[in-house]
Amino acid sequence: MTWQYDPKNIRNFSIIAHIDHGKSTLADRFLEFTHTISKRDMQSQVLDGMDLERERGITIKAHPVTMYYRAKNGQVYQMNLIDTPGHVDFTYEVSRSLSACEGALLVIDAGQGIQAQSLANVHLAFQRNLFVIPVINKIDLPTADVEGTRNQLEEALAMEGSSAIPCSAKSGIGIEEILERVVSDVPPPNATENAPLRALVFDSRFDPYRGIMVYIRVFDGSIRKGDQIRFMAIDKEFEILEVGIFIPSQKATDSLKAGEVGYFLANVKNTRDVKTGDTVTHVKNGSKEALPGFQVINPVVFAGIYPIDSQDFETLRDALQRLQLNDSALHIEQESSTALGFGFRCGFLGLLHLEIVVARISREFNLDIITTTPSVIYKFTLNDSSMKEIDNPAYYPDPSYIASVEEPWVKCHIITPSEYLGAVMSLTLDKRGSCTKMETLDAKRLLLTYRLPLNEIVTDFADRLKSVTKGYASFDYEFDGYEEGDIIKLEIRVNEEPVDAFSCLIHRSKAETRGRAICEKLADVIPMQLFKVPIQAAIGGKVVARETIRAMTKNVTAKCYGGDITRKKKLWEKQKEGKKRMKEIGKVTIPQEAFMEVLRLSDS
């Protein structure tokens, strides 16, 4: 099948969907139908390269692919599918991928209907003026409700329900119809081949043999091997060593022209030089104006990562640096803890991002690690009007110098069956949330819009939401600014020594409950010592919770048979003095299980 370059015969599109609605399976069918991959090489979830992606059924890294499709009108079209992650943590990558397209397929599970993340991503597509084609997937399931899903499209998204294409990605029903709709409805790129080069960087990855591979969509001009190019956001220059397309593995080509999607290799050694959303142009006669929408990705959630065995510190550092090569959003900074030793303070885009990084460290590098409780960035305004951004309790300033504290808030969209409304409202009230809007999606489901503090949802909110709704609810959130809050430092002391690994920044209303729960858990898991061990939760100088681990006892009067009581009193006094002296010099060793138990501890 031969294809001659013509921007009118290019279609750039993406697939947006909630987790497990069949996005990767639909991409597999496209690859089969267009003969991009032979049946011999076919496997499920071709574009999901990581084992974690296959096991969890989610897309973590976006992967583009170029297909050539002969339509019913006889014309051959270049179809560039830019696969996107579906989870809220990777919203910025989704927005950049959508910016490289002119159209999007909205895939909805016929059994589950519209879910929160589908809703969020389709709004991103509408904001970028993409043509959205609704696709109702899994129509061959016994629980499929195609008509009900069409009604949800009309009520929740104001889209014409009759325009939705019914299909089954698993069995291949409706695949040709979808491709024909992409050809007929998605507009071709508005590209100018003779204009100065402007290419959007929508992703990158590290190849251990060839360096950093940059994924681009060319908007204007063309790019070829030997060109001198400049990244406009960081103002650095490099020489192109190779350009090519994905089919779905890399295939080198002579050039990438306006409207096309592919990759280039240059002598880029550092991942920090490649920013998602940046614009690439030529050094000579390059564009003066960058493509709009670039922003630096800042971490939202922070957590400490420590090796269980201190000898693994160097291995952990190498593991994190290698992961950072493929994940520019991962922020790493070395720190030390009196309880946990040397480790790293890491910044993540969200809780799923944290889980994925921790799982990859354990699996790919065979390391046993401990993660501290996730925290967010608080803005402290001091009495001298200076501002500090703090995510680690260890850097909490002296309370007498603090004028005010601001905490991050998010706007949260929850879709839930109506019978669980009471349970969801009770949960969000416990998390200091306020309901701003309640809408009816259909006869059985509601769309709730809440404002919640970010630190309340990064711990156990997703698990508890699934628990109270028996797995039927879904949620999505977006950042909604900072607001002043009564944030204090809860300090945990063991034998009157602060343990920074258990300390946290928390709202005053939750501090006492959280402190009591931690003290009770530590009293259970720390073994008895030869002296009494007090465990305290304190706010400043005030102790708000306390538990005491009893001392091991020895019957020092066991050998005294009868005689005067003063003999026994002398032995008891001697034992008492010994325990007092031991407490002064004694150290309490906290077992690793204690850290794991406290990290699992819910703040409910």
Side-chain angles (χ1 to χ4, degrees):
M1 190 185 299
T2 56
W3 183 78
Q4 294 294 324
Y5 172 76
D6 185 348
K8 293 179 182 176
N9 296 331
I10 297 176
R11 298 292 182 270
N12 297 320
F13 69 102
S14 181
I15 305 178
I16 51 180
H18 189 79
I19 288 173
D20 204 31
H21 276 212
K23 178 160 59 78
S24 297
T25 311
L26 185 62
D28 290 349
R29 297 294 81 76
F30 288 157
L31 293 171
E32 272 187 344
F33 194 85
T34 57
H35 306 291
T36 305
I37 286 185
S38 64
K39 288 192 175 181
R40 182 182 63 183
D41 298 329
M42 194 63 200
Q43 59 175 344
S44 62
Q45 294 173 255
V46 171
L47 299 184
D48 292 342
M50 276 189 256
D51 291 338
L52 272 172
E53 291 181 308
R54 297 176 187 281
E55 289 173 18
R56 288 176 174 242
I58 60 175
T59 300
I60 297 166
K61 289 293 286 179
H63 196 301
V65 63
T66 298
M67 304 172 286
Y68 295 99
Y69 170 64
R70 187 182 295 280
K72 289 181 178 178
N73 60 14
Q75 181 65 53
V76 177
Y77 291 86
Q78 186 189 77
M79 315 278 275
N80 294 311
L81 165 61
I82 301 174
D83 194 22
T84 60
H87 197 271
V88 59
D89 284 4
F90 308 108
T91 300
Y92 182 67
E93 283 94 327
V94 174
S95 71
R96 294 299 89 209
S97 297
L98 293 178
S99 296
C101 303
E102 281 76 38
L105 298 176
L106 170 63
V107 179
I108 303 167
D109 187 326
Q112 297 182 37
I114 294 174
Q115 299 290 301
Q117 284 159 27
S118 316
L119 211 60
N121 289 341
V122 80
H123 284 309
L124 285 175
F126 286 152
Q127 287 169 15
R128 282 153 184 76
N129 298 318
L130 268 61
F131 190 92
V132 179
I133 301 170
V135 175
I136 301 174
N137 191 23
K138 304 186 184 182
I139 58 170
D140 51 346
L141 290 180
T143 55
D145 180 10
V146 177
E147 288 308 311
T149 307
R150 291 186 194 275
N151 293 335
Q152 288 177 26
L153 278 168
E154 293 179 354
E155 293 172 11
L157 297 172
M159 296 177 72
E160 199 174 323
S162 58
S163 67
I165 306 170
C167 84
S168 170
K170 192 172 184 180
S171 56
I173 300 169
I175 301 301
E176 186 177 12
E177 189 181 348
I178 295 170
L179 290 172
E180 287 294 326
R181 280 283 294 278
V182 170
V183 167
S184 62
D185 293 355
V186 173
N190 183 15
T192 313
E193 192 181 354
N194 299 322
L197 171 67
R198 287 200 306 171
L200 174 73
V201 176
F202 63 87
D203 204 355
S204 65
R205 74 176 180 85
F206 180 77
D207 187 304
Y209 302 104
R210 300 196 290 171
I212 294 168
M213 184 176 291
V214 184
Y215 297 6
I216 57 167
R217 151 74 197 272
V218 183
F219 278 84
D220 297 312
S222 63
I223 186 170
R224 65 184 66 245
K225 182 179 177 180
D227 285 357
Q228 295 288 330
I229 54 101
R230 178 167 65 91
F231 289 103
M232 297 184 76
I234 61 168
D235 197 24
K236 286 192 178 180
E237 299 176 5
F238 299 95
E239 182 182 350
I240 299 293
L241 304 178
E242 179 182 312
V243 297
I245 58 174
F246 296 96
I247 55 167
S249 56
Q250 302 95 33
K251 180 188 176 184
T253 58
D254 294 332
S255 64
L256 287 175
K257 297 178 181 177
E260 293 189 305
V261 174
Y263 71 91
F264 71 76
L265 290 162
N267 51 347
V268 186
K269 299 288 188 280
N270 195 335
T271 46
R272 294 188 183 91
D273 291 340
V274 182
K275 306 284 188 185
T276 301
D278 199 354
T279 303
V280 174
T281 189
H282 284 129
V283 173
K284 291 184 178 178
N285 303 319
S287 175
K288 302 284 187 248
E289 190 177 336
L291 294 163
F294 172 73
Q295 66 183 70
V296 177
I297 309 175
N298 293 316
V300 174
V301 175
F302 288 82
I305 297 181
Y306 295 85
I308 286 180
D309 186 346
S310 59
Q311 294 180 348
D312 290 335
F313 172 74
E314 294 292 337
T315 312
L316 176 61
R317 177 164 57 192
D318 293 343
L320 285 168
Q321 287 174 348
R322 286 177 64 182
L323 286 180
Q324 197 178 36
L325 291 173
N326 277 334
D327 188 353
S328 57
L330 176 61
H331 173 80
I332 303 170
E333 156 184 329
Q334 188 175 327
E335 70 172 3
S336 63
S337 160
T338 52
L340 298 173
F342 288 103
F344 295 90
R345 190 77 177 168
C346 300
F348 307 90
L349 296 173
L351 206 60
L352 177 73
H353 190 201
L354 186 157
E355 286 178 26
I356 294 300
V357 168
V358 169
R360 290 186 68 186
I361 291 171
S362 301
R363 181 173 305 197
E364 295 176 22
F365 303 95
N366 198 26
L367 280 171
D368 293 324
I369 56 174
I370 291 175
T371 57
T372 60
T373 308
S375 63
V376 298
I377 299 175
Y378 297 97
K379 292 183 177 179
F380 286 76
T381 304
L382 306 181
N383 293 334
D384 60 0
S385 299
S386 63
M387 182 175 284
K388 279 188 175 182
E389 292 190 348
I390 293 174
D391 63 83
N392 191 337
Y395 303 128
Y396 185 78
D398 188 324
S400 61
Y401 295 134
I402 299 173
S404 64
V405 186
E406 293 180 342
E407 61 177 331
W409 283 66
V410 294
K411 186 186 288 183
C412 184
H413 303 284
I414 302 171
I415 295 179
T416 178
S418 51
E419 62 261 34
Y420 300 115
L421 176 62
V424 172
M425 292 184 79
S426 175
L427 170 61
T428 48
L429 191 64
D430 182 50
K431 296 290 187 181
R432 300 191 287 129
S434 59
C435 185
T436 57
K437 193 190 291 185
M438 185 185 298
E439 299 171 80
T440 304
L441 281 181
D442 54 34
K444 295 180 180 179
R445 299 194 309 157
L446 299 169
L447 170 60
L448 310 174
T449 305
Y450 271 88
R451 291 194 77 250
L452 287 153
L454 180 58
N455 71 330
E456 297 286 354
I457 66 171
V458 297
T459 47
D460 64 341
F461 182 76
D463 291 339
R464 289 185 62 192
L465 180 66
K466 290 292 182 185
S467 178
V468 299
T469 61
K470 298 182 180 176
Y472 286 110
S474 63
F475 87 103
D476 172 84
Y477 64 88
E478 58 187 287
F479 182 68
D480 198 33
Y482 275 80
E483 280 187 16
E484 194 170 323
D486 192 5
I487 304 298
I488 48 95
K489 179 182 178 181
L490 178 67
E491 187 176 74
I492 304 298
R493 302 170 185 165
V494 177
N495 198 27
E496 297 178 4
E497 288 188 12
V499 182
D500 53 354
F502 298 139
S503 301
C504 59
L505 299 176
I506 193 168
H507 193 269
R508 191 179 295 275
S509 63
K510 296 290 189 77
E512 190 174 331
T513 308
R514 176 76 178 171
R516 189 174 292 114
I518 293 176
C519 289
E520 288 173 358
K521 181 61 70 176
L522 288 177
D524 284 341
V525 295
I526 294 177
M528 282 198 298
Q529 309 292 315
L530 293 171
F531 50 90
K532 279 185 182 178
V533 178
I535 300 172
Q536 300 167 314
I539 301 170
K542 181 185 176 185
V543 175
V544 294
R546 173 181 170 129
E547 293 287 330
T548 304
I549 301 174
R550 291 188 302 108
M552 291 180 185
T553 56
K554 179 183 178 183
N555 188 358
V556 293
T557 60
K559 294 179 181 178
C560 297
Y561 297 99
D564 194 356
I565 190 65
T566 54
R567 173 64 181 153
K568 291 185 178 181
K569 283 184 177 179
K570 283 180 182 177
L571 289 171
W572 287 331
E573 283 298 321
K574 189 176 179 182
Q575 183 186 39
K576 188 176 176 182
E577 286 297 320
K579 284 191 179 289
K580 185 179 178 182
R581 189 166 59 253
M582 189 179 290
K583 185 174 182 179
E584 290 173 358
I585 63 171
K587 293 283 185 183
V588 179
T589 303
I590 302 173
Q592 298 291 355
E593 305 86 67
F595 296 101
M596 303 307 291
E597 288 295 328
V598 171
L599 293 177
R600 289 193 200 105
L601 190 64
S602 166
D603 63 349
S604 55

